[in-house]
Amino acid sequence: MSVNHIPDEQDWFVPNASMAGPFAPNNVESVEQDLEVIGELPSDLNGLYVRNGPSPAHAPHGKYHWFDGDGMLHAVRFEGGKATYRNRFVQTDGLKAEKAAGEPLWPGLKERMPEGVLPDDAMKNVSNTDVKFHNGKLYSMWYRGGAVYTVDPGSLITLGKLEQDPRLVGLQISAHSRVDEATGEFMFFAYGNRHPYMHYGVIGADGALKTFMPVELPGPRLPHDCAITQNYTILHDFPLINTPAALERGRYSLEFHQDWPTRYAVIPRHGTPEQIRWFEFKPRYMLHVANAWEEVNAQGETEIVMLGTPYVNPRGYDGGLDVQKLLYTIGTQGTDYELYQWRMNLTTGMTREGVVDDILNTEFPMINTAFQGRKNRFTYNVLMGRPRTLEQPHFAGLVKYDLQTGAALAYHPGEGYWFSEAPFAPRDGATEEDDGYVVGFVWNGLANRSEVWVTDARDIAKGPVARVILKHRVPHGFHSCWVRGDQLSAAQVA
Ligand SMILES: [Fe+2]
């Protein structure tokens, strides 16, 4: 059996690199209006850009990992050619308890848990990873799972937890849920270290839990994202797992099984556990999906297509997979990705897979979310820099992929800039997929300040059409979303 693993005693991370420089917390909650703009903010850009990320409210007692910091939402409201910035902590149960105690009460991801305690039982849900808009509220989530916190999109005040149904209470709901704007449904998955290891659910536009089911896995797994089509949800089981013996000792230690397949579960959106179909592919590991959709081929068969940015499978001297190198890249927040496609034929059960682009190194793919689960043409990814400094991962620029022509266009402004996941914001009255802007925070290391860059999605090579200069430093963070002005109005947000 070819099992490789990272020795769990080894500390792979540069101590406190994730607490330094532009990663460092900035815990002042503020509102900034009448901001300086370089260029001109488009008058047809109306909506809210929100990004989640860590900002530890208390200095950790032990080692710190980027995923440990308390969740803080940073939002920029664009309206009438003006921009207003606001930031607030997500008021999690953990943050409240630590504020009361005046110090950290939970160990971080890099700390050893007490003997016999599973990490799931001992970690704080910091709600720092993802943010989505659903049912008039922002949903804030942590990738390791826990309660989903609901947040008012106007004030960023935490409203409560998404626990209206008893089946949601105590569930390890992951980040990376998906919203179908056409139906108003919210598809999510939960995972953990106890049987059945995964659950799947759908919350309707009315806020009620419409579908909920266990998804049985062979053991604890490390899924990161999921995908939806108009009729199906796709869940992930990669051959990357925590070493079971380490898990029992309350530690995380990765191992990759190159003789196990990558498995994707295809579930009818409102199906039953009996309807889950598993499709197998080459072993690899992926964080983020760009999109998925259904296609009918020439034989009249339905294929599910899923596009994402998995880690490149590195080759060793013998031409085979270099598992240690792959684990090192994953375990050290390294960046080596390619754009890749998987196809699942629902009629024949056959699968196909292949590289879409292995020239550019990109991640954090975003699309026009009106096309979520529908065949789309464009994705907007973050261009990853080469690992040369301790400030890793380095989000160096933006890439626009045209999936129809196969072309890719990359933009980076030179040394000293650090991008953030940048969602697509449709222009008011837009009728075509790329008629709008790409909006995201940029750390300007040359001027030591945070900015918000607005780029014309049809001409990203031109660089930003507007740069909003912030007074508040926005620490590097994770996922984001765009909420259209009409969605905010419907949610009665000022
Ligand atoms: Fe993620």
Side-chain angles (χ1 to χ4, degrees), residues 129 176 224 288 479:
T129 314
H176 309 97
H224 193 85
H288 301 122
H479 294 293

Side-chain angles (χ1 to χ4, degrees), residues 67 129-130 143 175-176 224-225 287-288 363-364 421 478-479:
F67 278 115
T129 314
D130 198 5
Y143 94 107
H176 309 97
H224 193 85
D225 202 350
L287 298 175
H288 301 122
E363 238 283 8
F364 289 86
E421 182 180 79
F478 305 115
H479 294 293

Side-chain angles (χ1 to χ4, degrees), residues 328-341:
Y328 182 83
T329 302
I330 296 170
T332 57
Q333 297 169 186
T335 54
D336 190 13
Y337 307 105
E338 60 193 5
L339 191 64
Y340 201 83
Q341 190 184 80

